Amino acid sequence: MLRVLLLTLSVVAIVHAELCKPDAQNAFKVRLSIKTALGDNAYAWDANEEYLFKAMVAFAMRRYSSKSTTQISNVLVCNVTDRVSFWFVVTDSSKNLTTVPESEVEAAIRMNRNRINNAFLLSDQTLQFLKITSTLSPPVEPSTPIWLIVFGVVLCLIVAGILFLVVAGIQQRKKKNKDSTERENLEEKSEEIVTVENGIPCETLDLKAGHINGVFAADDERFTSL
Amino acid sequence: MEKSRPLWDNSLQFVFACISYAVGLGNVWRFPYLCQMYGGGGFLIPYFIMLIAEGMPLLYLELAVGQRMRQGSIGAWKIISPYLCGVGIASVVVSFFLSMYYNVINAWAFWYLFHSFQDPLPWATCPLNTNHTGYEEECEKTSSTQYFWYRQTLNISPSLETSGSMQWEQVLCLTLAWLVVYLCILRGTESTGKVVYVTASLPYCVLIIYLIRGLTLHGAVNGLIYMFTPKLEQLSNPKTWISAATQIFFSLGLGFGSLIAYASYNEASNNCERHAIIVSLINSATSIFASVVTFSIYGFKATFNYESCLNKVILLLMNAFDLEEGSLTADNLNEMKDYLMATHPQEYAQLSPQVKNCSLEAELDTAVQGTGLAFIVYSEAIKNMEVPQLYSVLYFVMLLMLGIGSMLGNTAAILTPLTDSRVITARFPKEVISGAVCFINCIIGLIFTMEAGNYWFDIFNDYAATLSLLLIVLVETIAVCYIYGIRRFEKDLHTMIGHKPNWYWKIMWAFASPLLIVSLFIFYLTDYILTGTLQYQAWDATQGQLVTKDYPGYARAMIGLLVAASTMCIPLGALVTFVRKRLKRESVSTVA
């Protein structure tokens, strides 16, 4: 009884070794960078973590093919290194000694990549499936590029400033013209009004020409200063 | 009634206007490069000697001429001697060429500024290729910041011959840049005087913020040590002295007529001697200050790249040999490399082409100047800082202020002679003349928004102003000293300032500065003749780097035209005046 058990175990072990080895058919290499991702909160990679990994892969296969035949024991892990990298294969429970084709495993992992990453608190870069390239998420593009919005705001401000200055300049010029014409009109008007001073109409005094009284004229400027 | 000449509100506005004009992009992106190339801290020695021998005297000369003659460059030189009207016209032509291409830099600064309001910054990561499996090929070959500059900003063509189409985004930015300039010069000194308070002081605020940020960055000290260790053997290299002289000369903006224009709006009793000394000292101090900031940024960028390179090598070795994480660090990398080479010789030999030798010195040695420094190196450093959007906005606003400040001076150099001439002012108001100048410049500037636009920009940048300015300033100095007469000039200064210039100024004006300019001129001419074919750097998208190409025939013709258009004005002006006087004398004699 014991011998039969030992025999079956050794057969299983040999079969496993056959199916799961580096560069085997339908095998994938996985590489984890736990310390890079988590720093001080890094966990050690041990048998429990391996068990979780096998469970996640089995979960992925179940979700993908929606037949609940894949068991944790179908996932074989081997060649674990210090780097934390290893190889794994998924065996087919219905057919003996065969592995599930590469494409199926790849598709399953791709579909559930996010769940697998989150189970280990890692990301696409720190939990690498070496043959499975991850599709990079495109950056979020708003419908109008942001730079156009800022450009529009600045443009409106500048144009408003220019219009304000131009209009103010035109108004100033108009006011100046009006002032000078008003002043001219005022001078003409004052000549028509007959003002009377001491009974003598001012117009006879001839405001424009006038007489300069030599004594009272302030003509200091005509003499050079001492 | 005679309209009185508009004046600055106070002398502070004049000083700020001169500082805003002189302190421009060259202080930020050319001086640090020269410092690095020509001996680090030792470069300051020829720089200061040239400042004293050439910078201050010529600046004082131009300011004094403008203040005395109270006219723009054309009018001022006509007063000194009617045969010199060509000098003024040459200044206006050079200023015209400069304003054509200089505002494109402001357009680029606007482009980067508007793109700084995103998270992450668009030049931080490469865009994805069409099927989202990896990054764009061109971006992979070069870096994301270079890709953003060459492909997404310029959309540069492989050579000058393939002009390509106009980039509508750049057209929009250029239009905006010209609208901003128009807004500032619309009312003449009234508006310019207020604007220069901002354009002169804001760059200093930003530089101080960057100095504090730069000095606290990791690895900044590497850059500062690298810059300031003087390599005194460079002092024996004549190129060092020539570069110092050239830098002082072009940094102060002599010969464009802007300084004459600004000084003409001064009161007659303004102390332009003191202002000349202040402006030139502030300009040089700003250059040094900006280079301290630039080198701390360089140091940060170089250290960052060096550490990234090391990390890449470590990751590569760890993955290849399945070593435990954390066993390979930067310190034990070399020993581990030897160990791995000894224990696994074949696998190591397979890997060795990918294992790069990372060197901090090599990263620091990459000296860059010009638009490359301002838009590529700085944006690369900014994307690695914390809160990069803030620093990016601050930096590009500073570039804008520096650029707009210089543009105000350039347009003043063109507009002042136009508004001085009564023929034009009688028909059109000031706003229309300024608008027309801005509009014409904007239309011509559309050349620089084409795909090959950056190559044309380089042509204008390298050849439009260099030789012509040297000639203009040489003629100016000789004219003032020997044609106008230095005694007459002394008396004018005495009336304006209250004391005669002392022997230092007179010796510099009469002998030192003209000699320096003549030697610079001879050097440049011989350099152009000896190099033979002129070449330019073209961007090769397939390789992801710059390659050298020869200028085609029509580009060389354009270069010749640019230089000739301004230099020929001087003799032509003298000739036309001579012919006109001859004809007048003849007509007078025939009448009599």
Side-chain angles (χ1 to χ4, degrees):
Chain A
M1 183 59 201
L2 203 63
R3 226 185 290 162
V4 172
L5 202 61
L6 276 171
L7 203 60
T8 14
L9 276 175
S10 53
V11 166
V12 167
I14 294 170
V15 162
H16 281 193
E18 273 296 312
L19 290 175
C20 176
K21 56 180 191 217
D23 296 318
Q25 198 189 36
N26 301 332
F28 289 89
K29 182 163 182 185
V30 181
R31 189 189 289 146
L32 289 94
S33 313
I34 308 173
K35 284 204 194 121
T36 321
L38 301 170
D40 286 331
N41 298 331
Y43 48 81
W45 187 261
D46 53 12
N48 298 329
E49 307 286 343
E50 257 188 60
Y51 191 80
L52 178 61
F53 181 81
K54 289 189 202 174
M56 292 307 294
V57 175
F59 163 75
M61 292 304 300
R62 281 187 180 216
R63 263 192 102 201
Y64 176 71
S65 50
S66 21
K67 49 178 190 228
S68 331
T69 49
T70 323
Q71 304 291 327
I72 292 186
S73 47
N74 287 116
V75 183
L76 307 173
V77 169
C78 51
N79 282 70
V80 185
T81 63
D82 280 337
R83 173 71 180 82
V84 195
S85 66
F86 49 82
W87 290 82
F88 79 92
V89 274
V90 184
T91 56
D92 201 337
S93 46
S94 48
K95 302 180 211 145
N96 257 343
L97 296 181
T98 49
T99 51
V100 177
E102 223 171 41
S103 46
E104 252 186 74
V105 181
E106 181 171 334
I109 305 267
R110 257 191 219 268
M111 194 174 101
N112 299 290
R113 190 64 189 268
N114 212 21
R115 302 288 297 271
I116 303 177
N117 285 347
N118 283 335
F120 290 98
L121 306 172
L122 298 172
S123 68
D124 273 3
Q125 283 80 38
T126 38
L127 170 56
Q128 290 167 304
F129 289 83
L130 287 189
K131 272 191 268 183
I132 305 176
T133 51
S134 48
T135 44
L136 304 157
S137 55
V140 178
E141 284 244 0
S143 48
T144 13
I146 298 180
W147 79 271
L148 268 181
I149 300 174
V150 188
F151 170 78
V153 169
V154 175
L155 185 69
C156 289
L157 286 172
I158 303 284
V159 171
I162 291 178
L163 284 176
F164 171 71
L165 281 182
V166 168
V167 167
I170 295 178
Q171 277 183 347
Q172 228 176 29
R173 211 164 292 131
K174 256 195 228 162
K175 207 166 131 203
K176 224 192 290 174
N177 282 343
K178 216 189 335 175
D179 274 348
S180 58
T181 48
E182 264 182 23
R183 218 178 297 128
E184 284 175 23
N185 288 338
L186 208 61
E187 286 176 5
E188 288 175 19
K189 262 199 208 162
S190 59
E191 288 168 20
E192 286 171 3
I193 299 170
V194 184
T195 44
V196 181
E197 271 279 312
N198 283 350
I200 311 167
C202 290
E203 37 184 354
T204 59
L205 294 175
D206 200 5
L207 291 160
K208 265 195 264 169
H211 298 284
I212 297 178
N213 190 335
V215 180
F216 291 102
D219 55 357
D220 294 315
E221 301 97 4
R222 280 205 252 143
F223 300 108
T224 51
S225 55
L226 290 165
Chain B
M1 192 180 73
E2 276 275 346
K3 235 198 293 184
S4 65
R5 194 178 182 75
L7 295 172
W8 299 110
D9 287 342
N10 50 46
S11 64
L12 193 65
Q13 275 190 359
F14 168 64
V15 176
F16 270 26
C18 288
I19 291 176
S20 171
Y21 168 67
V23 172
L25 295 163
N27 299 66
V28 170
W29 77 30
R30 178 117 175 109
F31 183 78
Y33 168 77
L34 291 176
C35 234
Q36 188 175 1
M37 294 289 285
Y38 295 116
F43 183 70
L44 294 175
I45 299 175
Y47 188 68
F48 274 113
I49 293 179
M50 290 300 164
L51 175 68
I52 294 176
E54 191 197 0
M56 280 197 226
L58 291 174
L59 182 63
Y60 184 20
L61 188 90
E62 287 220 355
L63 291 182
V65 166
Q67 195 172 304
R68 170 73 184 84
M69 308 301 168
R70 319 210 72 210
Q71 296 254 315
S73 52
I74 299 184
W77 296 109
K78 234 191 243 186
I79 295 177
I80 290 198
S81 158
Y83 292 103
L84 288 178
C85 62
V87 176
I89 297 177
S91 290
V92 172
V93 169
V94 173
S95 288
F96 188 68
F97 288 152
L98 186 81
S99 53
M100 258 196 262
Y101 80 82
Y102 201 83
N103 220 14
V104 179
I105 304 175
N106 288 333
W108 292 330
F110 267 124
W111 169 264
Y112 269 81
L113 176 67
F114 296 150
H115 276 85
S116 308
F117 291 97
Q118 294 174 3
D119 181 35
L121 291 173
W123 54 84
T125 47
C126 277
L128 304 175
N129 59 16
T130 33
N131 49 8
H132 292 262
T133 51
Y135 297 117
E136 275 274 345
E137 206 188 304
E138 190 180 346
C139 197
E140 291 266 287
K141 298 230 175 70
T142 169
S143 66
S144 53
T145 42
Q146 285 193 307
Y147 178 77
F148 186 76
W149 169 247
Y150 285 112
R151 189 54 46 214
Q152 292 178 312
T153 308
L154 299 174
N155 197 14
I156 206 164
S157 63
S159 72
L160 188 67
E161 289 91 340
T162 42
S163 310
S165 56
M166 279 191 231
Q167 308 301 305
W168 64 268
E169 301 98 341
Q170 296 303 315
V171 173
L172 284 181
C173 291
L174 183 66
T175 318
L176 180 66
W178 275 111
L179 283 174
V180 171
V181 170
Y182 182 53
L183 178 66
C184 298
I185 61 175
L186 186 49
R187 289 287 199 80
T189 42
E190 202 184 305
S191 48
T192 312
K194 311 263 182 333
V195 171
V196 292
Y197 282 132
V198 177
T199 57
S201 44
L202 191 69
Y204 288 101
C205 298
V206 177
L207 276 175
I208 291 176
I209 295 176
Y210 258 88
L211 183 72
I212 300 173
R213 173 76 267 217
L215 289 177
T216 53
L217 282 174
H218 166 64
V221 186
N222 294 336
L224 286 175
I225 295 175
Y226 181 77
M227 169 185 158
F228 282 113
T229 31
K231 303 177 197 71
L232 288 170
E233 64 273 8
Q234 285 285 345
L235 283 181
S236 55
N237 179 2
K239 274 210 152 184
T240 312
W241 295 87
I242 289 174
S243 302
T246 314
Q247 175 63 11
I248 290 275
F249 188 85
F250 291 117
S251 176
L252 287 171
L254 304 163
F256 286 102
S258 315
L259 295 164
I260 298 181
Y262 277 161
S264 69
Y265 296 119
N266 265 338
E267 312 217 344
S269 57
N270 185 45
N271 189 349
C272 53
E273 177 176 337
R274 197 186 329 147
H275 290 155
I277 299 179
I278 292 176
V279 169
S280 48
L281 281 177
I282 290 184
N283 183 48
S284 300
T286 313
S287 292
I288 299 175
F289 185 37
S291 59
V292 170
V293 174
T294 305
F295 273 94
S296 47
I297 302 275
Y298 262 161
F300 166 68
K301 176 183 102 77
T303 312
F304 187 87
N305 286 347
Y306 170 66
E307 287 177 356
S308 304
C309 176
L310 277 181
N311 281 337
K312 274 202 206 125
V313 172
I314 290 176
L315 193 66
L316 184 71
L317 288 175
M318 263 197 326
N319 288 346
F321 294 105
D322 281 323
L323 303 163
E324 192 182 329
E325 272 183 292
S327 57
L328 270 181
T329 61
D331 304 318
N332 65 8
L333 183 61
N334 282 325
E335 294 107 48
M336 289 301 283
K337 277 212 273 197
D338 296 329
Y339 168 73
L340 288 170
M341 209 170 1
T343 45
H344 304 87
Q346 290 134 324
E347 290 116 340
Y348 194 83
Q350 270 185 331
L351 272 183
S352 46
Q354 292 170 340
V355 175
K356 284 186 265 192
N357 264 331
C358 302
S359 150
L360 187 60
E361 278 288 321
E363 294 282 339
L364 284 170
D365 260 340
T366 51
V368 192
Q369 61 163 332
T371 48
L373 170 58
F375 294 107
I376 299 179
V377 171
Y378 260 92
S379 54
E380 196 174 315
I382 288 171
K383 78 173 203 264
N384 296 323
M385 297 184 191
E386 284 122 48
V387 200
Q389 286 78 13
L390 171 70
Y391 290 108
S392 182
V393 168
L394 276 178
Y395 174 68
F396 289 111
V397 166
M398 178 185 80
L399 278 193
L400 269 174
M401 291 296 115
L402 290 173
I404 290 178
S406 302
M407 275 307 291
L408 295 181
N410 288 331
T411 43
I414 304 174
L415 283 174
T416 310
L418 287 179
T419 48
D420 284 343
S421 126
R422 265 158 239 150
V423 171
I424 301 180
T425 346
R427 294 216 199 105
F428 306 108
K430 210 177 2 181
E431 287 89 342
V432 172
I433 304 177
S434 334
V437 169
C438 290
F439 181 71
I440 295 175
N441 272 318
C442 187
I443 296 292
I444 301 181
L446 290 178
I447 300 176
F448 303 110
T449 57
M450 291 195 301
E451 286 179 27
N454 198 39
Y455 302 130
W456 288 107
F457 176 85
D458 282 333
I459 288 183
F460 271 74
N461 196 19
D462 291 333
Y463 300 108
T466 39
L467 221 55
S468 338
L469 277 181
L470 288 170
L471 188 64
I472 291 174
V473 176
L474 182 65
V475 174
E476 283 184 3
T477 327
I478 294 178
V480 169
C481 289
Y482 300 109
I483 300 182
Y484 191 70
I486 212 165
R487 290 196 197 287
R488 219 165 126 196
F489 196 56
E490 262 184 323
K491 281 204 201 100
D492 287 337
L493 285 171
H494 186 76
T495 350
M496 286 200 291
I497 302 175
H499 61 264
K500 288 200 176 169
N502 61 27
W503 55 268
Y504 154 69
W505 298 111
K506 287 189 274 191
I507 292 181
M508 292 300 144
W509 287 332
F511 305 113
S513 306
L515 272 174
L516 266 173
I517 300 176
V518 168
S519 47
L520 276 182
F521 198 71
I522 293 176
F523 167 76
Y524 274 111
L525 274 181
T526 44
D527 202 48
Y528 283 158
I529 295 172
L530 284 176
T531 30
T533 50
L534 299 163
Q535 294 177 317
Y536 68 105
Q537 303 278 79
W539 178 254
D540 188 345
T542 49
Q543 287 181 41
Q545 61 182 31
L546 293 165
V547 291
T548 325
K549 288 196 178 168
D550 286 335
Y551 276 127
Y554 59 88
R556 286 203 293 264
M558 187 68 200
I559 295 174
L561 194 67
L562 278 176
V563 178
S566 39
T567 45
M568 286 301 121
C569 287
I570 304 177
L572 273 178
L575 192 68
V576 166
T577 323
F578 179 68
V579 167
R580 234 195 248 168
K581 281 206 168 162
R582 238 346 198 2
L583 287 174
K584 211 190 270 185
R585 213 178 302 150
E586 280 176 13
S587 69
V588 164
S589 63
T590 48
V591 164

